[in-house]
Amino acid sequence: MQTRTDLIEDLMGRFPHIPREAVIKEDLLRGGLAFDDSALTDNENGDVKPKSYFIFSFDHRTLPELGEAALRRPPEEIVLTGGPYGLRRTVVSVRVNPASPYRVKPSDDGRLMLFLDGKPIADVGLPPMPDYYRHTLEGGKQIMEVAPTIQWGYLIYLTVFRVCQYFGAKEECQYCDINHNWRQHKAAGRPYTGVKPVDEVLEALAIIDKYDTAKTSQAYTLTGGSVTSKVDGLAEADFYGRYAQAIEERFPGRWIGKVVAQALPKEDVQRFYDYGIRIYHPNFEVWDKRLFELYCPGKERYVGRAEWHRRILESAEIFGPRNVIPNFVAGVEMAEPFGFRTVDEAIESTTEGLQYFMSRGILPRFTTWCPEPTTPLGKSNPEGAPLEYHIRLLEAYRATMEANGLSSPPGYGAPGAGNAVFSVSSFMDTLPAAE
């Protein structure tokens, strides 16, 4: 019987031009990892930055099923180095799966290591608790609740609307657990603010700006659930845009402003730009027409795939093609029962989408699909997509990018294995390092 070690070493051998770091990182992202209790954090009172659950759960079990990891959070991310594969510094977002063959625990000599199939394969570094996390807002809220940082401190993630107005089986995206994540945190008694007040966001950013003396944080992302009617009396562009306007007035030029929102009409996109946003992420989620209609029923109903794509292209006229970066959820193309049956078919479809956008100067990026257990696709596909799909996608992504004369996108930090900090997929690890 093939072990997971056999699988990754086979793929490393078959795809030697893909960094070994990316093979292991993609496997951790698609399938999760387990933690010994001794490797968990002391939450906000310890020396390690804990997982903030900044928008989705990104776990393979619900909170009640995580045991000690639900009480003492795992770290936000880990960094891998060394080991038998000679890994260069690799930042990986933590997705907890108690059943994973990967486990973080101390070695016999006390070093924290990543074990695979019972054997140590990498040293594990933990994110230090940043100084700004040790301070609270005047009202007592934690910085981690209002303005958590990810990507080893590079990005401030402002989920200012914690739920999505695409609601229920007929509207929610079939891979997305944003609404369940909200419910599980509220049920556990954790603070999880639904709509974050603008003044609290500004207060949190002022604390980050004061204590982040090394200027490690370089960008912020405004995001949250889709708005199909109004929130606080505002439609989507003005709801999210008001935060950008306030941030840019208070901290002009301190961070690169990004927004993840729906593909909105051109006049709304212009308002985003006028409010001070400089990078726009109108995520297209999945390329195939049939799968988009099945997996994103709310987006199909309210906007429609063809109109969504037209709006993405129009937004490039305002932001410039390089600053329009739509995300897709890599792996759902192969989700049963509706997805592609073979890796070849899935890669062909997704590459068609990459070429569609990249040939127009727009460089998509992707998040590696985590099959969260409360989502329809997670329930029917607990193992996610095959690792080979993810490795071949990295190959296809870089080839399509280079064929269209494009380079790594802005707002993601440095590219290249050993340099990248983008933690929810390996696309930045796989791109050539900046000269």
Side-chain angles (χ1 to χ4, degrees):
M1 183 176 179
Q2 187 185 51
T3 66
R4 189 67 70 84
T5 302
D6 294 333
L7 174 63
I8 67 162
E9 291 185 349
D10 173 65
L11 290 167
M12 286 175 179
R14 290 169 54 201
F15 298 92
H17 49 290
I18 298 297
R20 291 181 167 194
E21 294 83 356
V23 176
I24 292 175
K25 181 171 175 174
E26 287 298 311
D27 205 21
L28 290 168
L29 291 172
R30 78 181 184 108
L33 70 164
F35 286 82
D36 261 18
D37 289 352
S38 61
L40 296 172
T41 79
D42 294 320
N43 298 326
E44 66 274 13
N45 299 314
D47 295 325
V48 175
K49 181 198 285 188
K51 182 167 175 169
S52 60
Y53 291 90
F54 51 89
I55 185 166
F56 313 115
S57 74
F58 283 133
D59 283 337
H60 291 253
R61 299 287 188 274
T62 63
L63 276 180
E65 296 171 324
L66 291 182
E68 184 70 10
L71 302 175
R72 296 173 55 228
R73 300 186 187 201
E76 184 75 78
E77 295 154 327
I78 58 174
V79 64
L80 305 176
T81 53
Y85 304 114
L87 300 183
R88 291 162 287 186
R89 183 177 185 274
T90 306
V91 180
V92 187
S93 178
V94 165
R95 300 173 173 187
V96 184
N97 181 0
S100 173
Y102 292 94
R103 190 169 193 88
V104 176
K105 64 178 183 179
S107 63
D108 291 340
D109 61 4
R111 287 185 301 155
L112 198 62
M113 300 197 74
L114 179 66
F115 287 74
L116 173 58
D117 297 327
K119 298 178 181 179
I121 64 165
D123 288 290
V124 173
L126 302 178
M129 180 72 82
D131 288 343
Y132 47 80
Y133 266 32
R134 300 190 187 280
H135 299 268
T136 60
L137 276 62
E138 286 187 5
K141 285 186 180 178
Q142 301 167 354
I143 298 296
M144 183 175 67
E145 160 60 14
V146 179
T149 53
I150 59 172
Q151 296 171 27
W152 220 256
Y154 177 87
L155 179 69
I156 305 169
Y157 210 91
L158 301 173
T159 311
V160 293
F161 183 39
R162 276 291 189 31
V163 293
C164 181
Q165 291 185 346
Y166 291 134
F167 201 82
K170 294 184 179 180
E171 290 193 355
E172 288 179 354
C173 293
Q174 301 295 287
Y175 47 79
C176 176
D177 80 342
I178 184 173
N179 288 330
H180 173 78
N181 196 38
W182 155 262
R183 290 190 292 267
Q184 73 169 355
H185 281 265
K186 299 302 285 185
R190 292 181 172 184
Y192 211 69
T193 308
V195 177
K196 295 179 180 177
V198 175
D199 60 346
E200 289 187 355
V201 170
L202 293 177
E203 187 181 354
L205 291 177
I207 293 171
I208 293 175
D209 186 46
K210 179 179 179 180
Y211 291 98
D212 179 21
T213 55
K215 297 291 189 286
T216 301
S217 61
Q218 296 183 36
Y220 66 83
T221 290
L222 284 165
T223 189
S226 297
V227 178
T228 59
S229 55
K230 291 184 177 181
V231 179
D232 284 353
L234 299 170
E236 186 160 317
D238 291 323
F239 171 74
Y240 287 113
R242 66 176 179 168
Y243 294 91
Q245 182 180 38
I247 292 168
E248 295 304 325
E249 288 177 354
R250 177 78 177 275
F251 308 98
R254 169 62 178 87
W255 296 284
I256 303 167
K258 308 197 283 186
V259 67
V260 180
Q262 297 190 86
L264 296 175
K266 193 173 182 179
E267 58 271 20
D268 288 338
V269 175
Q270 181 66 56
R271 289 215 292 281
F272 275 147
Y273 190 86
D274 293 343
Y275 281 130
I277 292 295
R278 289 298 172 261
I279 296 176
Y280 180 38
H281 300 289
N283 301 338
F284 71 87
E285 315 297 18
V286 63
W287 173 252
D288 181 75
K289 181 177 185 295
R290 179 180 64 94
L291 295 180
F292 182 89
E293 293 168 354
L294 288 168
Y295 294 167
C296 306
K299 290 172 179 174
E300 175 63 26
R301 172 185 170 188
Y302 280 89
V303 181
R305 176 180 179 271
E307 176 65 11
W308 197 282
H309 293 173
R310 189 184 70 81
R311 291 177 179 182
I312 290 175
L313 300 186
E314 275 193 347
S315 69
E317 299 172 21
I318 296 168
F319 281 90
R322 182 167 168 77
N323 298 311
V324 176
I325 308 172
N327 184 69
F328 62 100
V329 185
V332 297
E333 300 92 329
M334 298 198 69
E336 294 182 352
F338 303 113
F340 293 106
R341 298 296 184 185
T342 68
V343 173
D344 285 348
E345 292 172 308
I347 293 296
E348 180 180 2
S349 171
T350 302
T351 303
E352 180 183 287
L354 293 176
Q355 177 61 22
Y356 177 84
F357 290 113
M358 290 184 185
S359 66
R360 293 161 171 83
I362 293 171
L363 187 67
R365 53 96 162 174
F366 57 90
T367 299
T368 301
W369 175 39
C370 176
E372 290 133 329
T374 61
T375 65
L377 293 185
K379 289 175 182 175
S380 58
N381 300 269
E383 303 300 318
L387 181 57
E388 181 177 339
Y389 163 83
H390 293 286
I391 304 312
R392 289 180 56 185
L393 174 61
L394 293 169
E395 178 183 54
Y397 183 94
R398 177 166 174 172
T400 309
M401 186 189 86
E402 291 179 344
N404 285 281
L406 302 177
S407 58
S408 60
Y412 284 86
N419 301 317
V421 294
F422 187 67
S423 58
V424 294
S425 85
S426 302
F427 90 95
M428 287 294 288
D429 303 74
T430 311
L431 298 184
E435 296 181 1

